[in-house]
Amino acid sequence: MDTFVLLTVTGLGLGAMYFLIASGLSLIYGLMHVLNFAHGAFITAGTYASWYSESKLGAIGSEPLRFLVAAAIGLAVGAAIGAVVEIGLIRPLYQRHIEQVLVTVGLSLALVALAQAIWG
């Protein structure tokens, strides 16, 4: 019975994650007609920036305040990387969807490899 509950909860969590990914891609493509497969890498970069900045903010005594500051830093880093990619790589490819897919998938693979090289 424990295995059934574990597999059910894991399956629901995985299904929810697939739903979020699909709805994010659908929303971005529906509103902007941009196929961006690298948005997960932007979230990863912001998350690592939050984690790193939170570990360096030991001078702030209040834990909730330290968390909020680290979250704001991570949000800014993720947004900055997303803006640079949008302006530098995606904007020139607005009418060429195949090239958008190739660039964003390649960028996603490169950013994942960079995160693994930096943080292990």
Side-chain angles (χ1 to χ4, degrees):
M1 187 65 176
D2 291 336
T3 305
F4 176 75
V5 172
L6 177 67
L7 290 176
T8 302
V9 170
T10 303
L12 288 173
L14 189 60
M17 186 175 65
Y18 287 159
F19 170 74
L20 286 174
I21 292 169
S23 63
L25 289 172
S26 176
L27 179 69
I28 291 171
Y29 184 73
L31 293 176
M32 299 176 59
H33 299 288
V34 172
L35 292 167
N36 184 3
F37 288 97
H39 63 273
F42 306 148
I43 295 169
T44 301
T47 303
Y48 274 117
S50 294
W51 170 73
Y52 180 77
S53 61
E54 197 277 332
S55 67
K56 299 298 179 186
L57 290 173
I60 298 176
S62 172
E63 192 168 319
L65 181 61
R66 188 170 59 223
F67 172 76
L68 289 174
V69 170
I73 291 171
L75 181 66
V77 167
I81 292 173
V84 167
V85 168
E86 157 65 23
I87 292 169
L89 295 176
I90 295 176
R91 192 170 288 175
L93 303 173
Y94 269 167
Q95 300 304 318
R96 301 184 313 218
H97 297 296
I98 300 298
E99 286 88 351
Q100 285 177 5
V101 171
L102 293 174
V103 166
T104 57
V105 167
L107 179 67
S108 176
L109 294 172
L111 289 177
V112 167
L114 181 65
Q116 285 180 339
I118 294 172
W119 289 287

